[in-house]
């Protein structure tokens, strides 16, 4: 029924006359730095989205995967061309915009509310770069389409997507209302903003998509909305400042010692400088929280050692939009990585997840979404969550977590039921970090124990900067960080092997992974990662419980 009402509202909105000004009443500069390398590729006709590059020479369904096409139609790539600061980049931006107006504007993807809203924000944020000195006909065409899109997305409120796209629609509606002086659009957006903020963010500040990358982008949205309202003299609802404060603090939880983000649920290595700019613009203060209870992430920190663990259930899903194919559930970028963790020592990452390629072809995309691409246990080569194009199918519905601290040492005990429906078991994981940070111990178990007939493995993916050597006689792996510090991995109850892996946090790089294969007899696998002190010995005896 809600879709019928929304569609009827869109239809009636098109019957109203639309006013197109000669120029935006107010423009604003896009706050965020672009990527000059991506901009240079665009000059050559290649458009890169999250590590996946294609020729940008068409706009229809055959151009590329849905996320790639969404980004192309959204025009956020204007900041990459602007970053080049050349006349050639400006000309390229206008050529692409003219080509889109001629051949891409009628595509269903272009008319999806979250895509149209992103495009409005991008055009207005780069108006001086894109259109201010362009020919009158080009500016008029942009403004005509902007007015049409503004009217459509205003009528689409409240947004039907359960993910960040709904926040993008509100931001785009506010931007269009301010630029085109449409008070009714602004009033409508402000009406739905408080409720959407409560829907988008948990009380702990974590975003509903449970992704560090989505957390960063959502915080950018909040900052832009705040600036838009402040710029036109409109009082922001109190929920906006609350969401800004909490979301900024939550983002800090996901930063490693190198100041980049942890690789959970579609996240890649965002430039630390960008994260710094966003936190500064958001006026986020204070230290990183140790846990996001409602969102389901925990930090263990001692000495120079940091562990970030995914201890939450994936968000619920929804059917995709039938017209554009865009996913509508908050699980759109979710991975099957429940109870996975990452570990860093100072600025060096040691244990990682493999990263993400959300705009790649389905095979590569889902290989990186799978449980085997995460530092956790996988049972019988079965993902802990079922992967679908629009999000997840079967997934853990209940994740139990208990945290304890004493004398500087920290414990996490967690369990998820992602394998209950497929194999009738619960995966339980215990993590212990010593007060010095020199000793991380873990236990993994399946309850009830499935016996030797059901194989399971535990994977620990290593950062490409880590040098690893298998010590077969000792049943362990000696690891050396780029700075020269040594760490040793040992285990009990499983066979220890060193295999190849891939790291797809930026450009793909080969790396290694430690693989524990159950021996079919031990009901619990114990493992430890300990710093090697002078003399070549680990700082403590590992895997002794």
């Amino acid at each position: 029924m809600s879709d019928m009402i929304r569609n009827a509202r869109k239809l009636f909105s098109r019957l109203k006359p639309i006013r197109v000004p000669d120029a935006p009443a107010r423009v604003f500069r896009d706050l965020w730095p672009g990527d000059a390398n991506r901009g240079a590729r665009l000059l050559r006709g290649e458009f890169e989205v999250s590590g996946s590059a294609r020729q940008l020479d068409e706009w229809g369904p055959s151009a590329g995967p849905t996320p790639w096409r969404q980004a192309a139609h959204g025009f956020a790539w204007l900041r990459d061309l602007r970053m080049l600061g050349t006349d050639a980049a400006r000309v390229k931006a206008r050529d692409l915009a003219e080509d889109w107006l001629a051949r891409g504007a009628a595509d269903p993807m272009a008319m999806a509310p979250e895509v149209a809203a992103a495009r409005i924000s991008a055009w207005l944020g780069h108006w001086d770069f894109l259109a201010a000195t362009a020919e009158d006909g080009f500016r008029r065409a942009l403004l005509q389409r902007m007015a049409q899109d503004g009217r459509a997305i205003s009528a689409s409120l409240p947004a039907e997507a359960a993910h960040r796209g709904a926040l993008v629609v509100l931001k785009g509606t506010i931007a269009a209302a301010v630029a085109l002086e449409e008070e009714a659009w602004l009033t409508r957006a402000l009406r739905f903003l408080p409720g959407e903020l409560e829907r988008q963010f948990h009380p702990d500040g974590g975003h509903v998509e449970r992704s560090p990358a989505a957390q960063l982008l959502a915080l950018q949205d909040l900052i832009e909305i705040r600036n838009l309202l402040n710029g036109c003299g409109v009082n922001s609802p109190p929920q906006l400042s609350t969401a800004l404060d909490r979301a900024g603090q939550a983002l800090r939880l996901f930063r490693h010692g190198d100041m980049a983000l942890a690789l959970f649920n579609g996240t890649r290595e965002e430039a630390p400088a960008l994260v710094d700019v966003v936190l500064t613009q958001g006026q986020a203060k204070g230290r990183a929280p140790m846990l996001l209870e409602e969102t389901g992430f925990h930090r263990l920190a001692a000495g120079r050692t940091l562990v970030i663990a995914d201890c939450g259930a994936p968000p619920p899903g929804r059917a995709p939009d039938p017209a554009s194919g865009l996913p509508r559930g908050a699980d759109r970028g979710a991975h099957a990585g429940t109870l996975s963790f990452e570990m860093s020592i100072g600025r060096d990452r040691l244990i990682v997840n493999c990263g993400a390629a959300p705009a790649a072809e389905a095979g590569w995309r889902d290989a990186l979404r799978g449980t085997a691409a995460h530092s956790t246990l996988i049972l019988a080569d079965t993902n802990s969550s079922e992967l679908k194009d629009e999000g997840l199918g079967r997934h853990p519905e209940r994740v139990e977590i208990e945290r304890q601290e004493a004398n500087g040492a920290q414990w996490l005990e967690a369990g998820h039921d992602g394998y209950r429906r497929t194999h009738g078991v619960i995966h339980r994981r215990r993590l212990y970090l010593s007060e010095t940070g020199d000793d991380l111990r873990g236990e993994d178990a399946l309850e009830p124990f499935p016996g030797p007939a059901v194989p399971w493995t535990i994977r620990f993916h290593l950062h490409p900067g880590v040098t690893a050597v298998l010590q077969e006689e000792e049943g362990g792996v000696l690891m050396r960080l780029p700075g020269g510090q040594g760490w040793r991995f040992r285990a009990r109850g499983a066979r220890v092997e060193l295999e190849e892996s891939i790291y797809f946090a930026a450009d793909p790089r080969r790396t290694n992974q430690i693989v524990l294969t159950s021996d079919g007899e031990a009901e619990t696998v114990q493992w430890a990662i300990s710093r090697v002190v002078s003399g070549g010995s680990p700082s403590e005896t590992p895997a002794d419980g």
Side-chain angles (χ1 to χ4, degrees):
M1 180 64 70
S2 61
D3 284 346
M4 293 177 60
I5 295 174
R6 184 179 287 106
N7 291 334
R9 191 163 54 238
K10 289 180 184 177
L11 178 62
F12 286 127
S13 74
R14 297 192 190 106
L15 302 178
K16 298 178 182 178
I18 191 167
R19 182 177 61 85
V20 182
D22 294 329
R26 186 185 298 269
V27 295
F28 49 92
R29 181 172 175 81
D30 180 71
L31 296 171
W32 318 118
D35 186 311
N37 291 328
R38 286 201 299 260
R41 296 185 76 167
L42 262 176
L43 285 181
R44 301 193 299 268
E46 292 181 347
F47 179 43
E48 185 251 311
V49 180
S50 300
S52 300
R54 292 171 170 270
Q55 288 294 123
L56 185 54
D57 52 13
E58 61 176 305
W59 304 93
S62 62
T66 296
W68 188 93
R69 294 181 56 236
Q70 179 181 1
H73 283 275
F75 276 73
W77 44 262
L78 283 171
R79 66 171 62 110
D80 299 327
L81 288 173
R82 181 193 65 191
M83 195 71 177
L84 296 177
T86 64
D87 289 338
R90 190 188 309 272
V91 170
K92 184 65 174 181
R94 291 174 181 172
D95 288 346
L96 287 172
E98 287 182 335
D99 186 63
W100 180 86
L101 288 167
R103 300 194 300 134
D107 191 276
M109 178 68 75
M111 295 183 284
E114 66 186 276
V115 179
R119 188 169 55 247
I120 288 172
S121 295
W123 283 358
L124 288 171
H126 298 85
W127 190 259
D128 287 346
F129 170 73
L130 175 67
T133 60
E135 295 181 356
D136 291 345
F138 177 70
R139 290 201 310 273
R140 182 74 179 176
L142 289 181
L143 287 165
Q144 177 76 30
R145 180 55 189 247
M146 191 185 304
Q148 293 172 348
D149 285 340
R151 180 177 61 181
I153 64 175
S154 172
S156 75
L157 295 174
E160 54 190 333
H163 51 63
R164 173 186 161 252
L167 203 58
V168 174
V169 173
L170 278 169
K171 180 182 69 175
T173 302
I174 294 170
V178 171
L180 304 179
E181 297 184 306
E182 291 285 352
E183 186 176 348
W185 299 354
L186 182 59
T187 300
R188 186 168 180 81
L190 289 174
R191 172 185 163 194
F192 291 110
L193 180 58
E196 192 59 53
L197 292 175
E198 293 181 3
R199 190 169 70 129
Q200 289 282 320
F201 296 93
H202 294 295
D204 58 21
H207 188 256
V208 292
E209 294 188 51
R210 302 191 67 253
S211 161
Q215 185 80 28
L216 177 66
L217 290 168
L219 181 55
Q220 291 175 259
D221 294 331
L222 295 181
I223 293 167
E224 293 177 50
I225 290 172
R226 179 201 63 195
N227 290 356
L228 281 166
L229 295 178
N230 289 347
C232 64
V234 174
N235 291 327
S236 302
Q239 293 91 337
L240 180 57
S241 60
T242 300
L244 266 167
D245 290 341
R246 293 175 177 175
Q249 288 302 307
L251 181 63
R252 292 186 187 277
L253 179 141
F254 297 113
R255 300 189 86 175
H256 276 291
D258 60 6
M259 308 311 288
L261 299 178
L263 308 181
F264 296 102
N265 295 320
T267 302
R268 294 163 59 81
E269 281 188 2
E270 298 290 349
L274 172 60
V275 183
D276 286 338
V277 169
V278 173
L279 289 172
T280 299
Q281 289 284 342
Q283 301 173 2
K285 300 176 182 178
R287 303 180 65 178
M290 296 305 292
L291 73 158
L292 300 177
E293 186 172 0
E294 292 88 0
T295 309
F297 284 93
H298 283 252
R299 282 169 69 102
L300 305 177
R304 300 178 67 243
T305 301
L306 171 64
V307 174
I308 305 176
D310 179 351
C311 301
R318 289 187 61 187
D321 175 58
S324 64
L326 288 171
R328 294 191 289 188
D331 63 343
R332 61 175 178 170
H335 286 202
T338 308
L339 299 194
S340 65
F341 76 94
E342 294 197 327
M343 177 181 182
S344 57
I345 317 298
R347 299 185 64 84
D348 293 328
R349 299 195 187 201
L350 178 58
I351 306 296
V352 295
N353 295 319
C354 287
E361 296 292 348
W364 254 118
R365 179 200 65 200
D366 286 350
L368 293 167
R369 293 175 68 205
T371 304
H374 297 76
S375 293
T376 189
L377 178 147
I378 180 169
L379 174 61
D381 289 327
T382 302
N383 289 321
S384 59
S385 293
E386 178 188 7
L387 304 179
K388 293 188 173 184
D389 288 344
E390 67 272 20
L392 301 178
R394 167 194 57 81
H395 61 79
E397 297 176 1
R398 184 177 181 182
V399 179
E400 301 173 339
I401 182 70
E402 182 178 348
R403 182 188 183 110
Q404 300 179 45
E405 299 183 25
N407 300 320
Q410 300 151 71
W411 293 263
L412 280 182
E413 297 191 15
H416 78 79
D417 63 356
Y419 292 117
R420 180 177 54 83
R421 288 166 58 183
T422 57
H423 295 85
V425 299
I426 303 295
H427 171 208
R428 299 204 180 277
R429 164 164 275 184
R430 295 181 175 92
L431 298 177
Y432 162 84
L433 182 64
S434 68
E435 65 277 10
T436 63
D438 292 340
D439 185 33
L440 176 69
R441 303 186 191 188
E443 291 184 2
D444 285 280
L446 295 170
E447 299 178 358
F449 181 57
V454 183
W456 47 285
T457 57
I458 309 168
R459 300 178 185 273
F460 302 83
H461 297 274
L462 304 179
H463 187 272
V466 176
T467 302
V469 177
L470 181 65
Q471 298 178 310
E472 296 187 27
E473 292 184 2
E474 299 181 27
V477 176
L478 182 63
M479 302 168 290
R480 192 164 299 280
L481 300 175
Q485 189 180 79
W487 288 73
R488 179 167 290 143
F489 181 100
R490 288 198 281 180
R492 175 179 296 169
R495 185 174 69 254
V496 181
E497 298 172 300
L498 192 62
E499 299 180 0
E500 290 186 344
S501 182
I502 190 168
Y503 189 65
F504 219 111
D507 293 333
R509 300 163 63 186
R510 291 185 180 276
T511 187
N512 293 304
Q513 60 177 314
I514 299 170
V515 180
L516 305 185
T517 303
S518 63
D519 59 14
E521 297 180 0
E523 297 187 12
T524 298
V525 171
Q526 299 176 323
W527 51 266
I529 303 172
S530 304
R531 185 173 67 88
V532 176
V533 297
S534 58
S537 299
S539 57
E540 298 194 31
T541 303
D544 285 344

